Amino acid sequence: MRDSRIDIDERFLETGILFDLYGNLLTEKKRTIMELYHDENLSLSEIAEEQGISRAAVHDALKSAEKSLFDYEEKLGLAEDYHERQKAVEALRGEISKLVSDTDSSKEFTYIEKLLSRLEE
């Protein structure tokens, strides 16, 4: 069974990534609240006080913004593409490490060329 704290931390991290990708698509008010919460690490109460709104309104704005971000990702898939590219880069780094210590490396070069092609798509 997974630790629910890990799930919360992963969701927070993923939301931050989606905000970086799609944040400009949110309304100015939601974007500001997301920035204060995710980037400035302010509490809901602190954001409410700063924005002159209720804590519940901050909560609702965050949930609405998060839903929008996940909806954008479902439609556009930029974060998924980013994650796939990161995996390819990590694999490429592993192959390069092998080349440093391997004298017969034609097989690895072929694999690296395939990985680079994936990154260029």
Side-chain angles (χ1 to χ4, degrees), residues 36 43-58:
L36 293 171
S43 70
L44 300 184
S45 298
E46 291 168 325
I47 296 168
E49 184 177 325
E50 185 171 311
Q51 295 295 302
I53 58 178
S54 70
R55 185 183 178 285
V58 171

Side-chain angles (χ1 to χ4, degrees), residues 62-74:
L62 280 172
K63 291 300 171 194
S64 175
E66 288 175 6
K67 181 184 180 323
S68 294
L69 294 174
F70 280 91
D71 287 347
Y72 293 140
E73 174 57 19
E74 185 177 319

Side-chain angles (χ1 to χ4, degrees), residues 6-102:
I6 293 172
D7 290 339
I8 291 169
D9 290 343
E10 287 175 2
R11 173 88 176 182
F12 187 84
L13 179 62
E14 187 66 18
T15 301
I17 291 168
L18 295 179
F19 181 65
D20 288 343
L21 291 169
Y22 304 115
N24 287 332
L25 299 174
L26 298 173
T27 65
E28 185 177 341
K29 184 92 170 169
K30 288 179 183 178
R31 189 172 50 250
T32 298
I33 289 172
M34 289 287 292
E35 286 171 351
L36 293 171
Y37 187 72
H38 283 272
D39 296 342
E40 302 297 325
N41 203 27
L42 296 182
S43 70
L44 300 184
S45 298
E46 291 168 325
I47 296 168
E49 184 177 325
E50 185 171 311
Q51 295 295 302
I53 58 178
S54 70
R55 185 183 178 285
V58 171
H59 179 269
D60 291 346
L62 280 172
K63 291 300 171 194
S64 175
E66 288 175 6
K67 181 184 180 323
S68 294
L69 294 174
F70 280 91
D71 287 347
Y72 293 140
E73 174 57 19
E74 185 177 319
K75 292 174 184 160
L76 301 173
L78 296 178
E80 182 179 350
D81 183 55
Y82 170 79
H83 291 307
E84 288 300 315
R85 289 179 187 272
Q86 288 302 106
K87 289 177 189 176
V89 167
E90 287 177 26
L92 181 59
R93 286 187 181 132
E95 291 301 314
I96 290 171
S97 294
K98 290 177 189 177
L99 291 175
V100 172
S101 62
D102 187 9

